Amino acid sequence: MKQFITLLLVIALATKTKAQEYITKNDISYYADSSNAKDAYMATQCKLELYYPANKKDFATIVWFHGGGITVGSKELPEQLKNQGCAVVGVGYRLSPKVKAPAYIEDAAAAVAWVFKHITEYGGSDKLIFVSGHSAGGYLGMMITLDKKYLAKYAIDANNIAALIPFSGQAITHFTIRQERGMKATQPVIDEYAPLYHVRADAPPMLLITGDREMELFGRYEENAYLERMMKLAGHKKTTLYELDGFDHGGMAVPAFPLLLKEVAAISKQKKK
């Protein structure tokens, strides 16, 4: 009997392992080879990592942009998003001061365009592509979703993004872009490089998540609250804002991941009906 039970456990574990098998593809260039040949920095920086379930079809994909103020950081696959039944794409992009706006926004759009055009080759659904990221990464996702011109360059309608879910993204013009102009981080600007500038009623669903307003970076909560208000005034009916009490700018990401996954699951279920 003991041996029989042991055998059952081995079979169960083997089945579970098989059901949760994932594959990782590293250093995929999302720009064409002809573009990379002209720009060495682009060739090394503009790559992505793809993590996806090997035995599943029509799965959702989360495109994840790392934070770092658009000055530091590298592509990453957050551990909290792994083994969740969906694909995760970690995106690398060019950084300031080596490049200036809108280069890194254009990179973000090129990466998302790559996912739209290629995720079905790995079994994923091009109707279930979610855009997310922390801080600067959240900002990049907000820009390419709300300002449709960036994805339109690749003949992709930004409205086909399943949902935008930024973690503590900047809603006004990013402070690094203002710094490139010689401005202080405390001098607010809303222009073409501000997600707030592009509020529109027909945008994809938006779940905005920030840390505690008293602990966040500058006025990050208030920026997102204003974005939520303006989206609703513009006629958008699917904008939601979460404030994570007790968490600062860096710490808010961990409790935000379950909210992201819950949103992905809910929207995926709706779209598959």
Side-chain angles (χ1 to χ4, degrees):
M1 177 62 72
K2 184 176 180 181
Q3 291 178 336
F4 179 69
I5 293 174
T6 301
L7 178 62
L8 287 178
L9 287 172
V10 170
I11 294 173
L13 288 171
T15 302
K16 182 178 180 182
T17 301
K18 183 178 180 180
Q20 296 181 344
E21 183 182 357
Y22 288 81
I23 297 173
T24 302
K25 299 288 187 180
N26 297 307
D27 291 331
I28 300 173
S29 294
Y30 54 80
Y31 277 117
D33 291 341
S34 57
S35 297
N36 288 329
K38 298 176 183 177
D39 188 330
Y41 185 48
M42 177 186 285
T44 58
Q45 197 76 1
C46 297
K47 295 185 177 182
L48 54 82
E49 293 185 5
L50 171 62
Y51 171 92
Y52 65 99
N55 58 339
K56 190 174 181 179
K57 297 296 182 182
D58 296 324
F59 49 78
T61 299
I62 301 171
V63 182
W64 179 261
F65 294 103
H66 67 83
I70 318 181
T71 60
V72 296
S74 59
K75 62 184 184 300
E76 61 185 12
L77 298 172
E79 290 297 322
Q80 295 89 340
L81 299 180
K82 292 182 177 181
N83 301 303
Q84 298 295 330
C86 59
V88 187
V89 176
V91 181
Y93 50 90
R94 289 172 291 174
L95 302 171
S96 181
K98 287 188 175 182
V99 297
K100 294 184 178 180
Y104 28 77
I105 304 173
E106 293 170 345
D107 291 349
V112 170
W114 185 96
V115 177
F116 267 101
K117 293 178 179 180
H118 294 282
I119 197 62
T120 56
E121 298 169 13
Y122 299 89
S125 170
D126 58 5
K127 295 178 176 60
L128 293 174
I129 295 172
F130 297 80
V131 174
S132 187
H134 181 230
S135 193
Y139 165 78
L140 293 175
M142 293 159 83
M143 281 299 302
I144 65 170
T145 302
L146 291 173
D147 187 349
K148 299 182 72 174
K149 72 181 181 185
Y150 291 104
L151 282 171
K153 176 181 178 181
Y154 300 94
I156 293 172
D157 187 343
N159 289 359
N160 290 332
I161 291 171
L164 169 65
I165 312 170
F167 292 11
S168 195
Q170 187 138 42
I172 65 174
T173 300
H174 197 276
F175 65 81
T176 293
I177 296 177
R178 285 177 276 141
Q179 185 179 49
E180 290 173 359
R181 301 171 181 171
M183 301 173 67
K184 294 181 180 179
T186 52
Q187 176 62 58
V189 172
I190 297 176
D191 62 13
E192 64 175 320
Y193 294 125
L196 261 166
Y197 190 83
H198 304 283
V199 295
R200 53 191 179 85
D202 62 337
M206 291 171 49
L207 176 60
L208 310 173
I209 311 173
T210 77
D212 191 311
R213 68 187 73 184
E214 299 300 331
M215 303 171 69
E216 260 288 4
L217 183 66
F218 300 114
R220 199 57 59 90
Y221 166 79
E222 288 80 6
E223 291 179 31
N224 279 263
Y226 188 35
L227 177 58
E228 178 199 30
R229 173 59 59 191
M230 295 308 293
M231 287 295 292
K232 290 181 176 179
L233 290 176
H236 193 261
K237 300 183 183 303
K238 295 182 179 180
T239 301
T240 304
L241 171 63
Y242 279 108
E243 177 185 5
L244 301 177
D245 293 342
F247 293 92
D248 62 14
H249 183 69
M252 62 76 61
V254 172
F257 281 119
L259 297 174
L260 164 60
L261 291 168
K262 182 179 179 181
E263 187 77 352
V264 169
I267 292 178
S268 297
K269 184 177 180 180
Q270 291 173 4
K271 287 183 172 288
K272 287 180 179 179
K273 286 183 178 179

